């Protein structure tokens, strides 16, 4: 920024509010009243950021009004293609104005003009009186206003840093001679967002070239005869439209508004007003940042959308008051540090039908963690902390005193993320026995798309702020790494509180599960799965390091060879990893396409989407995709896997996340096994490194065949699909035969490929545009495929329509076991948000039911393996596939039973098919 005592910031409110709204659209910020506060929060954060970062001396924020402007009168179609303003933005606008008034920041608006006209006029007037002006907006059109003392200030967004554009930057960005030509660029190109037509066939590069030759739109039109071919025809036919477009894109700088510098002076906020607004909106973090204090806020009652706040019989009182914490709530947390106290605690726990427990450890890695202590709670506000010594022998001995309590099959064990505690205690020879109640999983089913962290749930449901771990061990400590250094009395308070709060959350969540009819899914699937996943993680899988080393060397050779080939096609060496240099090679030097797509920073876009579209016709794009794939494979898996081998037992132990995906699918981390590429030969090679534990074992992979399509067939009851599955026909060839209207035996490979993409695309609610991109075909051909698909499978279309219709009524959809996916935007007037929700409405029941099926299968298989005392172990789950370390003497029995249990996990009207195979590595077995 330019150093001056007179800095004026002018903010375009609508641009910033819309940007904030869409930034939060996939992860809405909902308060306890059911209000989506994302747009307000994002906008307010932008205001606070600029106040703190730039410390402007003067500031104002301009809004559009609802009245038509001179542009609408001049061109009635102006902005006619825009969606109706989203309801959440309509609600947000007056709130943002109130926030600005509380900050003592003027709100500027004038009927008949847009915010950019008001900003343009004020900016020019202020610059003439010695101000340095910054127009804060993501809108590129403001570039036409830039001059020596007026700058375009583009706020940080989605990983992009703040960008301040002066005359030099604007002219370079648009590739023009002077900033006034921004208007001409927009006149020639048009602007789809504002429905400014421009001149057809003229993109950014052509517009820049013409302006360098002729200077303005008017001059181009006047000299149309000097142009050639199609360009000449278009300019002659649409020249006046281009001149009109320039007029529409011109920001007025003579709006009847005054620049009163005293009114725009930044002289501090009214903190009482801000506090009142932030309290109402429940902006806790923002309040702490702006006001230096955390506010009293209401608690929530669970998933927003379960209760309709407009129905009186569903309203609940939200307790409002100062947030409670350990210093304000009466509690009794006792330190248990003698044999006598431990004996009494054990006697107490033996009598309890239910108790909450938590392990305190010295590491987040369950396999390497040593117990620091146990915490137990049997009723609210009471807890007991058993301190364990650091000496391994004594530590182990005292830990085992609670073995019978934890292995008692009659008492319910309550915990938060019980899988971790179960795995820690396995090393101590303690098998924590069900029944369980896990608060994290309960909340995951009740409110799947929000956070399930205990601290957050305590704040939301109990109006309680737990002790922060960093307050105990300091900000530099890992989350539990230095617990041994904390006085045991403090650890007792912290650990006791964890157990107490978890028990209180259980008492809230258990009735909610029943109310939402989630008991069966919770108690029969998710809770039993805890033990299954703990066992799988504990077992781990053996990795052949020599095999990975060999693959790594082969990949290095392949990558070097690809680099040479890319340089040959490019005609020079360059940094392949640099998007900037790659874009210049592909589009400036090789000129692969006209009008290539640009990123927000003005560079050529060279992402996977762009390269995939070019790969079929251009060799360099295909090779770039190939080299990126090999580099990712090498760094993410081949070279990374050996580093993840545990010193504990020499195996890799992935962590399965049971409460992350909103569809119910499991995910995995360290390593993420779900993303190992399987479509390419090199990707599949990685599976060769996964091997049996010893010479007495062999790997078995059991894989569901097209489970989601079978679920779709069962849900839709489409006779053609059901018949194909029941008779074992190739569903993709059958689909191709129907939509391309050829006999089954005459289906060609390309037809089957398109049908396969359509089959899976339909499940995900694919549009004709999306299908066209996936298949690299025209949009019209894609539309014909979808149309033919629904003609041949009418029940599928009826099912999809019915699901969306029911979702609009309930605002959620369900799987076969009642797993819910909430769709708060399903009735939005905004096409983008509504379309996204409709696709989820179609997909979530199918993908979620597929998740239910494999989870049930896993639970049943695990129980059978235990019941029969089998030496074989289930060790991995990847998508629709289960991998087993099978003892060679048990091969036949395990294969037959696993196939049976997987096929019959959840009976449907369509048969499930499972293929199981054995091998000396995962690749062979698959």
């Amino acid at each position: 920024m330019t150093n001056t005592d007179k800095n004026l910031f002018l903010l375009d409110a609508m641009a910033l509010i819309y940007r904030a709204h869409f930034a939060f659209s996939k992860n809405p910020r909902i308060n306890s009243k059911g209000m989506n506060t994302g747009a307000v929060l994002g906008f307010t954060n932008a205001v606070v950021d600029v106040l703190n970062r730039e410390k402007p001396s003067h500031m104002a924020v301009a809004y559009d009004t609802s009245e038509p402007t001179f542009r609408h009168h001049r061109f009635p179609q102006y902005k006619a293609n825009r969606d109706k303003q989203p309801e959440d933005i309509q609600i947000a606008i007056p709130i943002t104005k109130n926030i600005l008034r509380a900050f003592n920041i003027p709100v500027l608006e004038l009927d008949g003009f847009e915010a950019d006209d008001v900003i343009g006029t004020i900016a020019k007037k202020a610059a003439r009186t010695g101000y340095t002006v910054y127009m804060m907006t993501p809108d590129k059109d403001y570039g036409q206003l830039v001059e020596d003392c007026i700058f375009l200030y583009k706020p940080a967004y989605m990983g992009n840093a703040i960008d301040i554009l002066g005359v030099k930057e604007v002219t370079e960005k648009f590739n023009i001679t002077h900033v006034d030509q921004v208007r001409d660029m927009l006149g020639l190109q048009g602007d789809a967002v504002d429905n400014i037509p421009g001149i057809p066939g003229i993109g950014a590069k052509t517009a820049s070239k013409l302006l360098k030759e002729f200077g303005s739109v008017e001059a181009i039109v006047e000299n149309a005869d000097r142009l050639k071919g199609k360009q000449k025809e278009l300019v002659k036919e649409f020249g006046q439209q281009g001149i009109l477009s320039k007029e529409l894109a011109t920001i007025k700088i003579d709006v009847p508004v005054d620049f009163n510098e005293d009114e725009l002076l930044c002289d501090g906020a009214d903190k009482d007003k801000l506090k009142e607004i932030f309290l109402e909106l429940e902006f806790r973090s923002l309040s702490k940042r702006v006001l230096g204090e955390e506010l009293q806020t209401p608690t929530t009652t669970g998933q927003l959308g379960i209760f309709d706040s407009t129905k009186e019989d569903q309203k609940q009182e939200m307790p409002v008051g100062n947030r409670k914490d350990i210093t304000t709530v009466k509690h009794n947390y006792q330190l248990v540090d003698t044999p006598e106290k431990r004996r009494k605690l054990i006697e107490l726990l033996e009598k309890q039908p239910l108790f909450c427990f938590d392990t305190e450890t010295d590491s987040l890695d369950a396999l390497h963690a040593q117990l620091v202590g146990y915490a137990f709670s049997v009723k609210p506000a009471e807890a007991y902390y058993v301190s364990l010594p650091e000496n391994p022998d004594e530590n182990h001995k005292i830990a085992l005193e609670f073995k019978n309590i934890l292995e008692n099959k009659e008492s319910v064990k309550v915990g938060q993320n019980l899988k971790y505690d179960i795995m820690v205690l396995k090393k101590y020879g303690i098998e924590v026995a069900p029944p369980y109640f896990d608060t994290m999983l309960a909340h995951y089913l009740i409110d799947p798309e929000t956070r399930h962290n205990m601290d957050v749930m305590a704040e939301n449901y109990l109006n309680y702020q737990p002790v922060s771990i960093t307050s105990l061990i300091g900000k530099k400590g890992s989350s539990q790494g230095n617990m041994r250094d904390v006085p045991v009395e403090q650890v007792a308070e912290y650990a006791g509180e964890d157990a107490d709060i978890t028990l209180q959350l259980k008492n809230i969540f258990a009735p909610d599960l029943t109310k939402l009819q989630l008991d069966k899914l919770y108690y029969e699937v998710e809770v039993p799965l805890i033990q299954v996943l703990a066992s799988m993680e504990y077992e781990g899988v053996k990795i052949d390091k020599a095999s990975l080393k060999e693959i790594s060397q082969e990949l290095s050779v392949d990558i070097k060879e690809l680099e040479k080939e890319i340089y040959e096609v490019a005609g020079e060496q360059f940094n392949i990893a640099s998007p900037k240099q790659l874009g210049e090679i592909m589009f400036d030097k090789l000129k692969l396409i006209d009008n290539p797509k640009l990123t927000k920073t003005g560079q050529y876009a060279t992402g996977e989407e762009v390269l995939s579209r070019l790969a079929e016709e251009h060799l360099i794009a295909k090779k770039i995709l190939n080299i990126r794939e090999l580099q990712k494979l090498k760094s993410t898996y081949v070279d990374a896997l050996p580093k993840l081998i545990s010193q504990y037992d020499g195996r890799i132990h992935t962590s399965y996340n049971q409460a992350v995906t909103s569809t119910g699918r499991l995910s995995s981390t360290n390593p993420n096994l779900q993303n190992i590429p399987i479509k390419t030969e090199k990707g599949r090679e990685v599976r060769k490194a996964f091997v049996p534990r010893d010479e007495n074992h062999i790997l078995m992979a059991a894989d569901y065949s097209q489970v989601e399509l079978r679920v779709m067939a069962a849900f839709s009851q489409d006779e053609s699909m059901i018949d194909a599955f029941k008779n074992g026909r190739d569903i993709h060839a059958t689909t191709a035969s129907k939509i391309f209207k050829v006999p089954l035996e005459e289906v060609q490979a390309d037809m089957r490929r398109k049908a396969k993409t359509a089959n899976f695309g339909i499940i995900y609610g694919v549009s004709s545009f999306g299908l066209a991109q996936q298949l690299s075909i025209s949009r019209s051909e894609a539309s014909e495929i979808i149309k033919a698909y629904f003609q041949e499978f009418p029940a599928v279309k009826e099912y999809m329509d019915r699901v969306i219709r029911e979702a609009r009524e309930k605002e959620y959809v369900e799987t076969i076991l009642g797993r819910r996916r909430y769709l708060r935007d399903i009735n939005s007037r905004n096409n983008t948000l509504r379309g996204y929700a409709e696709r989820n409405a179609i997909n979530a029941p199918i993908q979620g039911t597929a998740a239910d099926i494999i989870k049930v299968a896993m639970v049943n298989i695990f129980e059978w393996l235990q019941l029969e005392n089998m030496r074989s172990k289930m060790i991995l789950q990847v998508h629709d596939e289960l991998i087993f370390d099978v003892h060679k003497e048990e091969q036949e029995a395990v294969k037959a039973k696993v196939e049976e249990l997987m096929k019959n996990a959840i009976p449907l009207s369509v048969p499930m098919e499972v293929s199981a195979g054995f091998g000396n590595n995962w690749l062979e077995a698959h």
Side-chain angles (χ1 to χ4, degrees):
M1 283 180 53
T2 304
N3 289 324
T4 172
D5 292 333
K6 297 168 72 174
N7 292 328
L8 171 61
F9 269 76
L10 298 170
L11 280 58
D12 184 339
M14 299 312 298
L16 295 173
I17 291 170
Y18 264 89
R19 186 190 71 150
H21 170 74
F22 287 108
F24 284 116
S25 62
K26 290 188 179 180
N27 185 22
R29 296 298 193 267
I30 313 295
N31 66 13
S32 65
K33 304 173 190 66
M35 176 187 172
N36 184 354
T37 60
V40 179
L41 178 62
F43 173 83
T44 309
N45 272 326
V47 172
V48 171
D49 282 344
V50 79
L51 286 170
N52 291 342
R53 184 191 303 272
E54 310 297 359
K55 296 181 172 47
S57 63
H58 295 71
M59 191 170 178
V61 182
Y63 284 77
D64 296 336
T65 73
S66 58
E67 295 298 313
T69 68
F70 67 93
R71 295 180 180 89
H72 294 92
H73 295 303
R74 184 77 175 87
F75 183 60
Q77 293 81 25
Y78 179 66
K79 292 189 177 182
N81 60 341
R82 285 195 175 185
D83 287 331
K84 183 175 175 63
Q85 192 175 78
E87 304 95 312
D88 290 333
I89 287 183
Q90 293 174 19
I91 294 167
I93 290 170
I95 297 173
T96 60
K97 290 179 180 178
N98 287 338
I99 288 172
L100 290 171
R101 293 181 184 112
F103 271 109
N104 289 319
I105 297 171
V107 170
L108 308 176
E109 51 190 347
L110 185 63
D111 285 345
F113 300 95
E114 294 180 63
D116 48 4
D117 300 312
V118 174
I119 287 174
T121 301
I122 297 288
K124 294 294 183 181
K125 290 183 176 181
R128 303 295 171 265
T129 60
Y131 280 83
T132 301
V133 182
Y134 296 89
M135 304 173 294
M136 184 171 168
T137 177
D139 189 347
K140 64 183 184 299
D141 299 11
Y142 281 79
Q144 64 187 271
L145 300 171
V146 168
E147 57 181 64
D148 287 344
C149 292
I150 300 177
F151 297 87
L152 174 53
Y153 185 100
K154 298 183 76 172
Y157 185 62
M158 304 294 276
N160 292 327
I162 291 166
D163 199 7
I164 301 176
L165 285 69
V167 173
K168 178 175 178 291
E169 290 79 14
V170 170
T171 53
E172 288 178 355
K173 185 177 182 66
F174 284 91
N175 194 16
I176 52 181
T177 307
H178 50 84
V179 294
D180 191 56
Q181 287 180 322
V182 169
R183 301 185 302 131
D184 296 284
M185 288 289 288
L186 295 170
L188 291 168
Q189 290 178 249
D191 187 339
V193 175
D194 289 340
N195 203 34
I196 297 176
I199 297 177
I202 296 184
K205 277 198 167 184
T206 304
S208 170
K209 182 180 176 184
L210 290 172
L211 288 174
K212 284 180 179 175
E213 183 175 355
F214 297 105
S216 68
V217 176
E218 292 83 356
I220 294 167
V221 174
E222 190 176 326
N223 291 279
D225 287 329
R226 292 172 55 186
L227 303 177
K228 296 178 181 178
K230 189 71 173 176
Q231 195 175 85
K232 176 179 178 179
E233 293 175 23
L234 290 170
V235 170
K236 280 200 165 189
E237 183 177 354
F238 296 101
Q240 293 306 311
Q241 181 174 288
I243 293 171
L244 170 63
S245 296
K246 176 180 177 179
E247 181 184 338
L248 295 172
T250 297
I251 296 174
K252 291 186 73 68
I253 56 173
D254 57 355
V255 171
V257 291
D258 294 325
F259 169 55
N260 187 325
E261 58 183 324
D262 292 336
E263 290 180 359
L264 274 55
L265 184 67
C266 287
D267 56 0
D270 184 329
K271 292 194 173 184
D272 289 337
K273 283 185 181 177
L274 277 180
K275 186 174 181 178
E276 184 181 341
I277 296 170
F278 288 170
L279 173 62
E280 178 69 19
L281 295 170
E282 301 172 18
F283 286 172
R284 295 193 297 270
S285 297
L286 188 62
S287 170
K288 197 165 187 178
R289 181 180 166 202
V290 176
L291 304 174
E293 61 178 299
E294 196 163 309
L295 295 177
Q296 51 186 7
T297 56
T299 64
T300 67
T301 56
Q303 165 64 39
L304 297 158
I306 293 171
F307 302 107
D308 181 351
S309 61
T310 64
K311 296 179 182 177
E312 289 299 325
D313 62 339
Q314 290 183 349
K315 285 187 178 179
Q316 297 191 23
E317 286 298 317
M318 301 291 187
V320 179
N322 289 325
R323 166 132 319 134
K324 298 175 287 186
D325 61 31
I326 203 165
T327 65
T328 61
V329 172
K330 188 176 179 181
H331 62 278
N332 181 18
Y333 299 160
Q334 298 182 34
L335 174 61
V336 178
D337 56 356
T338 68
E340 179 62 19
K341 290 179 180 178
R342 291 197 297 272
R343 185 183 61 78
K344 288 184 177 180
L345 175 58
I346 290 170
E347 288 176 357
L348 172 67
L349 295 173
E350 283 174 340
K351 301 173 186 175
Q352 304 301 319
L354 176 151
F355 62 83
C356 180
F357 88 100
D358 184 32
T359 59
E360 288 305 323
T361 66
D362 59 4
S363 170
L364 290 176
D365 184 343
L367 284 171
H368 298 93
Q370 185 185 53
L371 277 172
V372 174
Y374 289 116
F376 295 93
S377 179
V378 295
K379 62 163 119 178
E382 289 187 10
Y384 305 88
Y385 178 67
V386 181
S387 175
L388 299 182
E390 193 166 359
N391 176 275
D393 292 336
E394 284 297 308
N395 181 283
H396 201 89
K397 180 182 175 183
I398 296 174
L400 286 173
E401 291 179 12
F402 292 83
K403 179 179 172 72
N404 290 340
I405 294 294
L406 294 166
E407 292 186 347
N408 179 6
K409 295 179 181 179
E410 301 302 317
S411 58
V412 179
K413 290 84 181 171
V414 178
Q416 165 78 7
N417 189 17
L418 275 171
K419 177 162 66 74
Y420 175 84
D421 304 296
I422 291 169
M423 288 184 65
V424 168
L425 292 172
K426 271 180 177 288
K427 300 197 312 297
Y428 283 76
I430 300 172
E431 296 289 340
V432 181
Y436 309 135
F437 191 100
D438 191 318
T439 48
M440 178 182 76
L441 294 181
H443 191 255
Y444 169 60
L445 293 190
I446 293 166
D447 194 358
E449 297 197 51
T450 59
R451 295 169 63 191
H452 317 298
N453 174 278
M454 193 202 76
D455 289 2
V456 172
M457 294 190 298
E459 291 180 14
N460 288 342
Y461 288 87
L462 302 172
N463 195 31
Y464 186 95
Q465 184 171 7
V467 173
S468 165
I469 187 70
T470 56
S471 69
L472 290 181
I473 63 176
K475 293 182 180 179
K476 294 183 180 179
S478 63
S479 109
Q480 293 193 19
N482 296 324
M483 192 63 82
R484 288 281 184 195
D485 300 331
V486 180
V488 69
E489 292 79 13
Q490 291 183 37
V491 177
E493 287 275 283
Y494 167 79
E497 181 189 62
D498 271 5
D500 172 21
I501 294 302
T502 300
L503 183 65
Q504 292 186 49
L505 289 171
K506 183 266 174 193
N507 293 336
I508 293 173
F509 295 157
D512 280 354
L513 289 169
T514 304
K515 190 185 303 177
L516 298 171
Q517 299 180 313
L518 292 167
D519 280 350
K520 182 179 176 65
L521 177 61
Y522 182 69
Y523 292 109
E524 296 182 20
V525 182
E526 295 295 350
V527 169
L529 193 64
I530 297 170
Q531 205 174 8
V532 180
L533 297 178
S535 173
M536 291 169 63
E537 291 183 25
Y538 191 80
E539 289 297 331
V541 60
K542 187 176 178 182
I543 295 292
D544 182 354
K545 288 194 287 186
S547 175
L548 286 174
K549 186 175 181 181
E550 183 180 330
I551 296 171
S552 180
Q553 290 169 347
E554 291 173 1
L555 286 172
S556 293
V557 172
D558 292 343
I559 289 168
K560 285 288 184 187
E561 185 60 35
L562 270 172
E563 284 178 353
K564 290 179 185 176
E565 292 171 6
I566 291 167
Y567 295 150
E568 286 176 10
V569 177
E572 64 178 273
Q573 289 194 13
F574 65 100
N575 181 0
I576 297 171
S578 165
K580 183 175 185 295
Q581 291 186 34
L582 175 61
E584 290 168 352
I585 290 289
M586 292 173 65
F587 303 121
D588 286 339
K589 182 176 181 180
L590 301 179
K591 301 188 184 303
L592 299 188
I593 53 172
D594 294 329
N595 304 321
K597 185 179 177 181
L598 299 178
T599 67
K600 292 177 181 177
T601 58
Q603 292 184 8
Y604 292 117
T606 58
E608 185 176 349
E609 182 185 340
V610 172
L611 292 172
S612 296
R613 286 203 298 269
L614 296 173
E616 287 195 12
E617 295 182 23
H618 301 285
L619 187 60
I620 191 169
K622 184 176 182 179
K623 290 185 180 295
I624 293 294
L625 283 173
N626 289 343
I627 199 170
R628 286 182 181 177
E629 180 192 334
L630 296 186
Q631 287 168 338
K632 181 179 180 181
L633 186 64
K634 187 174 186 297
S635 62
T636 306
Y637 293 104
V638 178
D639 293 342
L641 284 173
K643 299 172 185 174
L644 295 173
I645 294 174
S646 171
Q647 296 177 351
Y648 178 70
D649 60 4
R651 298 179 201 159
I652 279 182
H653 301 264
T654 189
S655 295
Y656 285 101
N657 307 308
Q658 200 176 346
V660 170
T661 70
S662 54
T663 60
R665 287 279 195 182
L666 294 172
S667 66
S668 70
T669 50
N670 297 320
N672 179 357
L673 299 179
Q674 312 284 354
N675 284 351
I676 295 178
I678 58 170
K679 292 184 179 179
T680 63
E681 182 182 347
K682 287 296 181 184
R684 289 190 292 271
E685 286 284 301
V686 175
R687 294 189 170 200
K688 284 172 60 176
F690 291 74
V691 296
R693 66 184 60 205
D694 56 39
E695 66 278 1
N696 296 320
H697 287 75
I698 188 168
L699 290 191
M700 184 183 87
D703 194 8
Y704 278 110
S705 170
Q706 300 162 338
V707 60
E708 291 182 3
L709 286 178
R710 292 171 190 270
V711 171
M712 170 62 94
F715 281 8
S716 67
Q717 285 295 291
D718 187 275
E719 292 179 3
S720 296
M721 292 183 77
I722 292 174
D723 183 67
F725 282 126
K726 282 187 173 179
N727 290 288
R729 289 199 301 273
D730 181 338
I731 187 64
H732 302 313
T734 300
T735 302
S737 170
K738 287 185 170 295
I739 63 177
F740 294 112
K741 295 182 171 48
V742 296
L744 188 61
E745 60 274 12
E746 293 181 19
V747 170
Q748 298 173 0
D750 189 56
M751 292 178 182
R752 185 184 183 279
R753 177 182 70 89
K754 290 177 179 177
K756 181 178 180 180
T757 304
N759 268 331
F760 288 110
I762 296 299
I763 290 175
Y764 289 91
V766 72
S767 64
S768 57
F769 176 74
L771 187 61
Q773 283 195 314
Q774 291 178 34
L775 291 173
S776 298
I777 59 177
S778 69
R779 199 165 175 177
S780 58
E781 184 182 352
S783 295
E784 287 301 313
I785 289 175
I786 293 174
K787 183 179 177 182
Y789 187 99
F790 287 138
Q791 285 174 345
E792 295 299 326
F793 300 103
V796 173
K797 184 69 168 73
E798 289 169 12
Y799 164 75
M800 292 168 64
D801 291 342
R802 183 174 73 252
V803 167
I804 292 173
R805 190 166 59 248
E806 291 174 357
R808 287 192 179 125
E809 293 174 9
K810 299 188 295 185
E811 295 198 341
Y812 66 84
V813 289
E814 292 178 299
T815 69
I816 197 168
L817 294 185
R819 185 186 306 278
R820 293 187 176 189
R821 177 75 185 270
Y822 292 93
L823 304 164
R824 65 178 311 279
D825 291 318
I826 193 71
N827 292 307
S828 173
R829 295 192 188 95
N830 181 275
N831 289 337
T832 303
L833 295 177
R834 188 178 65 253
Y836 179 75
E838 287 174 352
R839 288 191 292 275
N840 279 332
I842 296 165
N843 172 247
I846 295 168
Q847 194 176 130
T849 295
D852 291 346
I853 288 170
I854 198 164
K855 283 181 173 181
V856 170
M858 292 169 73
V859 169
N860 293 342
I861 291 167
F862 180 78
E863 288 179 355
W864 176 77
L865 290 171
Q866 281 196 313
L867 187 66
E868 298 295 325
N869 292 316
M870 304 297 276
R871 289 168 287 183
S872 302
K873 304 289 183 183
M874 181 162 48
I875 57 172
L876 295 175
Q877 187 268 358
V878 179
H879 300 303
D880 301 320
E881 183 177 9
L882 298 176
I883 298 92
F884 299 82
D885 216 345
V886 178
H887 196 281
K888 288 180 178 178
E889 295 177 3
E890 299 172 348
Q891 280 182 248
E892 188 176 327
V894 170
K895 182 176 185 290
K897 196 64 179 180
V898 165
E899 287 181 345
E900 176 196 333
L901 292 173
M902 288 179 72
K903 287 178 181 178
N904 299 302
I906 299 178
L908 296 174
S909 58
V910 175
M912 285 290 147
E913 280 301 314
V914 176
S915 59
F918 293 97
N920 290 315
N921 59 59
W922 184 9
L923 182 62
E924 280 184 16
H926 182 72

